[in-house]
Amino acid sequence: IYEAATGLTVREVSFGSALWSVHLNGDGSRIAAGGVDNRATVVRVDTLETICAVTRQDAVRCVALSPGRGSRMAVGGFDRAVGVVDVATGLVLFERPTAGTVLNVAWSP
């Protein structure tokens, strides 16, 4: 994670596998990542504690944390489905199949 004004590294976060997508929530306290290990993970930036980790059927192509504190995570990928996960519990709140690979997810404020 870099400071935009200076370009200096603020924090390095490792997820242990190649990533397709990363997303920092609005207040900068959480970072989500998804990649080739079929996992979507949310980590606290200050402690590097894993808050939530969900395993999908195939590689995770995209993740997005909900506006504000990032209490929900949208996930999509090569499993041809888009889902919404409650970050506090790890429960999938919504999942819908799609006709192909999900290349991007986003929240509307």
Side-chain angles (χ1 to χ4, degrees):
I1 301 171
Y2 298 94
E3 175 63 48
T6 64
L8 296 175
T9 301
V10 175
R11 171 79 81 181
E12 290 188 20
V13 182
S14 175
F15 288 90
S17 71
L19 300 177
W20 279 100
S21 179
V22 294
H23 185 254
L24 190 64
N25 73 322
D27 67 8
S29 64
R30 297 175 177 187
I31 189 167
V36 299
D37 63 354
N38 302 3
R39 291 169 46 100
T41 306
V42 180
V43 172
R44 284 182 51 153
V45 172
D46 60 350
T47 64
L48 302 181
E49 170 193 5
T50 298
I51 301 169
C52 177
V54 294
T55 302
R56 307 286 290 179
Q57 295 297 315
D58 206 337
V60 175
R61 177 69 175 83
C62 49
V63 294
L65 291 165
S66 59
R69 294 266 316 135
S71 61
R72 302 225 168 129
M73 174 175 53
V75 182
F78 291 96
D79 60 359
R80 297 180 174 192
V82 64
V84 174
V85 177
D86 182 285
V87 171
T89 64
L91 293 175
V92 177
L93 303 174
F94 171 87
E95 186 162 275
R96 182 173 182 116
T98 66
T101 299
V102 180
L103 300 177
N104 196 17
V105 291
W107 291 92
S108 177

